[in-house]
Amino acid sequence: MDKILYFCKYNITNMKIYKFGGASVNSAEGVRNLQKIVGKEKGNLVIVVSAMGKITNALEKVVNSFFERRADVTKNLQAVIDFHTTIVDELFEDKTTITAELKQLYDELKEIIQQKPSLSYDYDYDRIVSFGELISTTIVANFLKQENSAIQFVDIRAGIKTDDNYREGNVDMDLSQKLCDRLFAEREKKVFVTQGFIAGTITNQTTTLGREGSDYTAAILANLLNADSVTIWKDVPGVMTADPKRYKEVQIIPKLSYKEAIELSYCGASIIHPKTVKPLQNKKIPLFVKSFIEPDKDGSVINEYPYKLNLPPIYIDKSNQVLLTLTPRDFSFIAEEKLSKIFSVLASYRLKVSLMQTSAISFSFCMDYNKVNFQQLVQEFKNEFEVLYNTDVELISIRHHTKEIIDKLVGEKIVFVEQRNRLTARFVVSE
């Protein structure tokens, strides 16, 4: 009986999750536009907000300056403060409350950078970069309260709990379920504002869910709160066949299956975070991708479909890639033992492989190029392998490929690695 009452108490219908990325709140005009979009919803809504504009990048500069004990750390932090101050000045006439709340956050940040860095870059990264989301949600929540006093601010670090794997925390779904049930207990007719990307440990240390992890936050909350839907508001009109900033002949894909979305995210599609789909698929929650510029248009929906969808060729370009080829110095075969060592090294650097290919005595793989630790990684591999690499390459992935589209995209480019199956063709090419 108690279990039935518990389920009824928290299973509120018509719950929606709206996620707004940095591009949608990169200015005062963007925040006002967010207000117009959410103003059409009368309640049962959770608004997940990312850091504003490119503030995550700006805070990464603060982290690097702090960790390397450089003198420009204060200057880099001031740039973050000035950016938000400009937006606040445009949004608020009476700035008493918002100024006091932001000052508290800025003071916390200043206190951190006055300390000595820890021995863990990832720990320092999470406790500093997380302020991007804390600041943005403070601004958005206070602005929305001017028209809707029922707006409720939630610090998501008290609800979503992870382990201490900093920069990519693993979520404890069972514990997070109990905590979010309490945080969002009075969810009927309520509008909540909370952060994407960040979470907390059981000892209340701040963690993050991986770069661009706000989509993942929205999916987790949808799963935990039994939401009816998730909508990700983007600067594009939906899931496109290619990046409209790079290609002219693109079209919206109205419907995609969960499986197709996972494949696209694995190939590097930036439209959704790779971990987003699973929490939604587990409870059959549809994911809408819509334009915050034209919010009344249908956009795209990712869902479970009982029939096969006829999809056009979809192509994804990942630039800033590096291709490495490792050959054992003793000419031994690339077998399980060698692969285990290779992936152990990659895991120690928190690196993920985008594409891999093996032969009898060599192993090639493509991944994001990180100048900061790349040479150190190469030196570690050189202890046991001959190492060849190309840093000026890109990875082209084509789902539902045709000969015509491959010829168009690859053309006369130098192809270093090629892989094809029935549905996907992938090429590592000269950039």
Side-chain angles (χ1 to χ4, degrees):
M1 183 66 178
D2 289 340
K3 290 183 179 179
I4 295 175
L5 289 174
Y6 181 89
F7 177 80
C8 292
K9 179 180 178 181
Y10 291 113
N11 191 33
I12 306 297
T13 58
N14 301 319
M15 168 62 77
K16 294 180 180 179
I17 312 290
Y18 278 5
K19 180 262 175 176
F20 291 88
S24 64
V25 287
N26 64 356
S27 63
E29 181 183 358
V31 177
R32 292 191 186 99
N33 187 55
L34 179 153
Q35 183 186 51
K36 291 178 183 177
I37 293 172
V38 303
K40 298 176 182 179
E41 301 295 332
K42 302 306 179 186
N44 298 4
L45 178 67
V46 178
I47 305 168
V48 177
V49 184
S50 300
M52 292 177 159
K54 299 295 183 181
I55 285 299
T56 298
N57 294 340
L59 284 167
E60 285 177 344
K61 289 184 179 180
V62 176
V63 176
N64 293 336
S65 297
F66 168 68
F67 199 75
E68 296 167 10
R69 303 190 184 189
R70 298 203 311 261
D72 63 351
V73 62
T74 302
K75 175 186 173 183
N76 290 335
L77 176 56
Q78 191 59 48
V80 171
I81 295 172
D82 291 345
F83 175 86
H84 292 104
T85 299
T86 299
I87 292 176
V88 168
D89 286 344
E90 292 186 41
L91 286 176
F92 297 89
E93 291 186 10
D94 181 357
K95 295 190 281 288
T96 306
T97 300
I98 185 65
T99 299
E101 292 183 12
L102 290 178
K103 182 181 183 301
Q104 183 175 344
L105 293 173
Y106 298 151
D107 287 347
E108 288 179 36
L109 258 174
K110 290 174 182 177
E111 183 179 350
I112 290 173
I113 67 171
Q114 287 169 2
Q115 302 167 2
K116 290 182 179 180
S118 73
L119 297 178
S120 169
Y121 176 87
D122 293 341
Y123 169 76
D124 287 330
Y125 180 98
D126 279 4
R127 66 175 180 153
I128 291 174
V129 171
S130 58
F131 277 87
E133 277 67 24
L134 295 171
I135 294 168
S136 67
T137 48
T138 298
I139 294 172
V140 169
N142 275 276
F143 184 71
L144 295 181
K145 283 180 182 178
Q146 294 180 141
E147 285 196 1
N148 183 357
S149 59
I151 296 291
Q152 188 166 331
F153 178 90
V154 171
D155 187 336
I156 201 61
R157 294 174 297 179
I160 296 180
K161 292 295 181 180
T162 72
D163 59 12
D164 59 0
N165 186 41
Y166 297 105
R167 295 189 70 185
E168 196 156 358
N170 299 296
V171 177
D172 183 333
M173 292 294 283
D174 291 336
L175 177 58
S176 299
Q177 178 74 73
K178 295 174 184 176
L179 296 173
C180 283
D181 278 342
R182 295 174 192 168
L183 272 178
F184 299 91
E186 298 178 5
R187 67 189 71 155
E188 190 169 13
K189 301 302 180 185
K190 287 277 189 178
V191 177
F192 299 89
V193 176
T194 195
Q195 306 81 27
F197 177 56
I198 71 175
T201 67
I202 59 173
T203 57
N204 294 326
Q205 301 300 310
T206 301
T207 54
T208 61
L209 303 178
R211 203 65 158 83
E212 310 295 338
S214 293
D215 294 354
Y216 185 35
T217 302
I220 292 169
L221 287 175
N223 180 290
L224 299 179
L225 303 179
N226 293 309
D228 288 355
S229 67
V230 174
T231 302
I232 296 175
W233 297 93
K234 308 280 289 187
D235 58 355
V236 291
V239 180
M240 314 294 288
T241 53
D243 184 353
K245 297 174 183 176
R246 183 162 181 168
Y247 297 96
K248 293 182 179 179
E249 298 177 4
V250 298
Q251 62 189 81
I252 298 174
I253 307 170
K255 296 179 180 180
L256 289 98
S257 66
Y258 293 121
K259 182 179 179 181
E260 186 68 30
I262 291 172
E263 290 283 0
L264 292 177
S265 65
Y266 175 78
C267 289
S270 60
I271 198 73
I272 55 172
H273 187 276
K275 292 183 179 179
T276 301
V277 178
K278 182 171 171 50
L280 302 178
Q281 189 273 337
N282 286 349
K283 291 193 174 180
K284 302 296 184 289
I285 300 168
L287 170 64
F288 295 90
V289 180
K290 301 185 69 174
S291 167
F292 62 76
I293 301 169
E294 299 177 295
D296 293 329
K297 292 194 173 181
D298 292 338
S300 305
V301 59
I302 299 168
N303 207 344
E304 195 77 69
Y305 295 99
Y307 51 86
K308 182 179 179 181
L309 298 172
N310 293 318
L311 298 174
I314 306 168
Y315 32 105
I316 301 153
D317 298 86
K318 288 191 73 175
S319 58
N320 192 40
Q321 298 292 290
V322 58
L323 175 68
L324 292 94
T325 299
L326 308 181
T327 304
R329 293 185 181 278
D330 60 1
F331 284 90
S332 58
F333 289 114
I334 292 290
E336 287 79 3
E337 181 183 354
K338 296 294 184 185
L339 290 173
S340 176
K341 289 182 179 179
I342 292 169
F343 281 102
S344 176
V345 172
L346 292 172
S348 70
Y349 283 85
R350 310 284 289 274
L351 296 171
K352 296 179 181 178
V353 173
S354 303
L355 175 146
M356 68 186 80
Q357 193 168 80
T358 185
S359 69
I361 58 170
S362 69
F363 180 70
S364 298
F365 58 96
C366 185
M367 64 181 187
D368 291 342
Y369 179 44
N370 185 341
K371 292 182 181 179
V372 175
N373 58 19
F374 181 70
Q375 289 302 325
Q376 185 178 347
L377 172 72
V378 169
Q379 285 303 125
E380 192 159 345
F381 278 133
K382 281 185 175 180
N383 293 332
E384 191 169 345
F385 301 92
E386 296 282 351
V387 182
L388 297 175
Y389 62 85
N390 301 82
T391 57
D392 54 346
V393 300
E394 67 177 328
L395 175 61
I396 299 175
S397 301
I398 309 169
R399 288 281 293 169
H400 314 287
H401 56 85
T402 63
K403 182 180 183 304
E404 291 74 21
I405 201 69
I406 290 175
D407 290 343
K408 175 183 175 182
L409 296 179
V410 178
E412 300 300 319
K413 293 180 179 179
I414 299 172
V415 177
F416 296 102
V417 178
E418 174 181 343
Q419 291 182 352
R420 300 193 201 194
N421 60 31
R422 290 189 180 100
L423 293 178
T424 306
R426 309 188 79 194
F427 305 87
V428 180
V429 301
S430 56
E431 195 165 21

